[in-house]
């Protein structure tokens, strides 16, 4: 198992609400990436944070936003939830400039009703 | 952007036989190719990765081959065991999983028949 943790494990929201998901990176890692995994699909890259700045972004709308804190932990915020946002949200930590291999956390399963 | 195709979507093999999963990628700038194993309800776990400066890498029963010219890479599992049953994902990126993120295939459900 990796040292990457996520909270909460499960969450149920209604359409239009806002949600915040949290991720603690593995010790020694300074970069956090977020992915959305729909049922039966591969993870899709949302964005990456390095040195508290967004370092790259996939094809997701602005209502998906994030933060990284000085201890390298990170938050994913989703506003105006839609039914299609129901998915497993995974964060992955890595060490920029070194091996850069990404290690995943257990994920947060979000259900939007 | 990068596009990764993965085949087959489901693979059933007898215990002890070999399994091969194939992926193709579209961006010739991609230079890092990891493979992840995901058991039901669990996180994706890195099982092996390869960078574009090598053609093959092996770790016990698992090996990965890369053909940069054809833009495809494959996962080989020998002497399959029941615990190998899972969904396997290939991925590609233009850096070590950096600002471009990993682009994943749709996954292969590997079933090991006893």
């Amino acid at each position: 198992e990796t040292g990457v943790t996520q909270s909460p494990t499960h969450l149920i929201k209604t359409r239009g609400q806002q949600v915040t998901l949290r991720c603690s990176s593995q010790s020694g890692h300074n970069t956090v990436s977020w992915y959305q995994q729909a049922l039966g699909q591969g993870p899709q890259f949302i964005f990456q944070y390095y040195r508290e700045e967004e370092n790259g972004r996939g094809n997701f709308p602005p209502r998906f936003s994030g933060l990284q804190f000085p201890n390298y932990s990170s938050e994913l915020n989703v506003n105006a939830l839609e039914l299609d946002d129901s998915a497993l949200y995974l964060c992955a930590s890595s060490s920029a400039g070194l091996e850069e291999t990404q290690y995943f956390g257990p994920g947060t399963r979000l259900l939007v009703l | 952007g990068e596009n990764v195709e993965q085949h087959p979507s489901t693979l059933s093999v007898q215990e002890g036989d070999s399994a091969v999963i194939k992926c193709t990628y579209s961006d010739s700038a991609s230079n890092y190719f990891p493979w992840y194993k995901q058991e039901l309800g669990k996180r994706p776990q890195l099982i092996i990765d390869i960078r574009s400066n090598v053609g093959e890498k092996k770790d016990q029963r698992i090996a990965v081959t890369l053909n940069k010219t054809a833009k495809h890479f494959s996962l080989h599992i020998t002497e399959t065991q029941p615990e190998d049953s899972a969904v396997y994902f290939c991925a590609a990126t233009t850096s070590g999983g950096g600002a471009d993120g990993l682009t994943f295939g749709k996954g292969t459900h590997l079933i090991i028949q006893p």
Side-chain angles (χ1 to χ4, degrees):
Chain A
E1 294 293 323
T2 70
V4 184
T5 61
Q6 291 186 244
S7 63
T9 55
H10 296 83
L11 206 50
I12 300 175
K13 292 285 188 178
T14 55
R15 197 169 44 182
Q17 285 188 310
Q18 177 266 342
V19 68
T20 297
L21 311 180
R22 295 179 176 82
C23 172
S24 290
S25 59
Q26 185 167 307
S27 177
H29 285 180
N30 56 15
T31 302
V32 174
S33 303
W34 286 92
Y35 293 83
Q36 180 194 68
Q37 186 177 24
L39 206 59
Q41 301 292 318
Q44 277 196 289
F45 176 63
I46 302 174
F47 45 54
Q48 181 186 83
Y49 275 82
Y50 170 63
R51 291 185 175 177
E52 303 177 50
E53 299 277 341
E54 187 180 292
N55 189 39
R57 190 178 185 94
N59 191 26
F60 279 81
R63 60 189 186 84
F64 286 78
S65 63
L67 286 172
Q68 186 179 33
F69 302 99
N71 67 354
Y72 306 125
S73 66
S74 177
E75 286 182 356
L76 164 66
N77 299 291
V78 187
N79 293 322
L81 284 167
E82 301 177 358
L83 298 179
D84 284 349
D85 295 333
S86 295
L88 179 68
Y89 288 85
L90 295 159
C91 75
S93 78
S94 56
S95 186
L98 296 174
E99 185 183 274
E100 295 187 346
T101 300
Q102 295 196 7
Y103 297 93
F104 283 88
T108 294
R109 188 161 296 282
L110 172 65
L111 177 61
V112 182
L113 301 176
Chain B
E2 176 65 277
N3 182 50
V4 176
E5 300 282 341
Q6 183 173 347
H7 299 280
S9 56
T10 304
L11 178 59
S12 181
V13 302
Q14 289 293 124
E15 182 179 349
D17 287 350
S18 295
V20 180
I21 302 170
K22 299 181 179 182
C23 290
T24 60
Y25 61 98
S26 61
D27 189 344
S28 56
S30 286
N31 59 5
Y32 175 63
F33 308 92
W35 286 87
Y36 287 87
K37 173 185 180 182
Q38 189 174 31
E39 295 176 55
L40 192 62
K42 297 199 171 180
R43 73 185 78 196
Q45 284 190 293
L46 179 75
I47 55 171
I48 197 167
D49 56 10
I50 192 167
R51 296 182 190 273
S52 59
N53 56 347
V54 299
E56 184 172 358
K57 184 176 177 181
K58 190 172 181 180
D59 182 4
Q60 300 183 333
R61 297 186 296 110
I62 295 172
V64 57
T65 58
L66 171 64
N67 183 327
K68 286 191 297 182
T69 304
K71 289 191 280 188
H72 67 70
F73 56 114
S74 300
L75 177 71
H76 304 253
I77 306 174
T78 59
E79 300 171 14
T80 53
Q81 299 168 4
E83 54 265 36
D84 294 330
S85 294
V87 179
Y88 291 79
F89 292 99
C90 62
T93 188
T94 54
S95 62
D100 297 323
L102 293 170
T103 300
F104 284 84
K106 290 185 185 240
T108 295
H109 186 193
L110 178 61
I111 302 165
I112 308 301
Q113 303 277 9

